[in-house]
Structure formats: C-alpha cells, structure tokens
C-alpha cells in the first residue's frame, strides 16, 4: 500500500490488495531497461490489479506526475507481456 499515495480508503486500494483482475489496471514498474535502439524500453513491473495484454494502450505516469500537472505522463502501447517465474 505504500506505493499508492491516494487515500487508502479508495476503491482502487481494494482492487490492488486483492490483486483483482477485474479492477482498473495498476502496474508498479520497478525498472526500465533501454532497448538497443535507445528509443523504447522494456519495463519490469508487477500488475497490482487489472489485466495487461499486448496491444493495450496505457497511460504511463512518471515519478513527478500529479493530477494537477500531467506533464510527467505519456500514452504508450504494450507490445509484449512476459511472465517471469523462479523457484
């Protein structure tokens, strides 16, 4: 819950704590890896709620994003989704 800075009684928090696939899409990106062309990134993250599929168009919020100033945000298309698993 510490990654989510809006009020903790918000409906989105309930979806996130339950990892609800039917909730709004929330992905916490932990690391960005630049591609060889230096024009795109691979993102390593955790889907907190919702469902993410190739072809989805998502709004990416940067560290400095605020609802009052959307300068640190962009729209991007998901090109690929991979699931990493370990023992």
């Amino acid at each position: 819950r510490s990654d989510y800075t809006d009020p903790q009684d918000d409906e989105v928090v309930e979806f996130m704590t339950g990892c609800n696939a039917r909730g709004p899409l929330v992905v916490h990106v932990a690391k960005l890896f630049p591609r060889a062309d230096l024009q795109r990134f691979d993102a390593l993250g955790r889907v907190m709620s919702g469902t993410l599929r190739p072809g989805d168009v998502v709004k990416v919020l940067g560290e400095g994003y605020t609802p009052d100033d959307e300068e640190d945000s962009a729209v991007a298309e998901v090109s690929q989704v991979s699931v990493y698993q370990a023992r």
Side-chain angles (χ1 to χ4, degrees):
R1 288 184 175 201
S2 62
D3 295 329
Y4 188 72
T5 57
D6 280 351
Q8 296 297 305
D9 61 350
D10 192 75
E11 182 181 27
V12 174
V13 175
E14 296 299 320
F15 287 117
M16 288 171 41
T17 56
C19 295
N20 191 331
R22 295 177 192 223
L25 179 63
V26 177
V27 179
H28 179 254
V29 175
K31 179 78 174 167
L32 292 173
F33 300 94
R35 305 288 301 267
D37 63 8
L38 301 177
Q39 299 295 312
R40 298 177 294 158
F41 291 90
D42 289 332
L44 174 66
R46 178 180 180 198
V47 177
M48 305 299 287
S49 74
T51 304
L52 187 64
R53 294 184 175 93
D56 285 353
V57 175
V58 297
K59 186 173 186 179
V60 181
L61 308 179
E63 290 181 35
Y65 172 82
T66 65
D68 298 329
D69 182 11
E70 296 195 9
E71 182 178 347
D72 194 15
S73 68
V75 175
E77 182 176 343
V78 177
S79 60
Q80 180 179 345
V81 175
S82 300
V83 178
Y84 293 99
Q85 297 178 340
R87 291 180 165 228

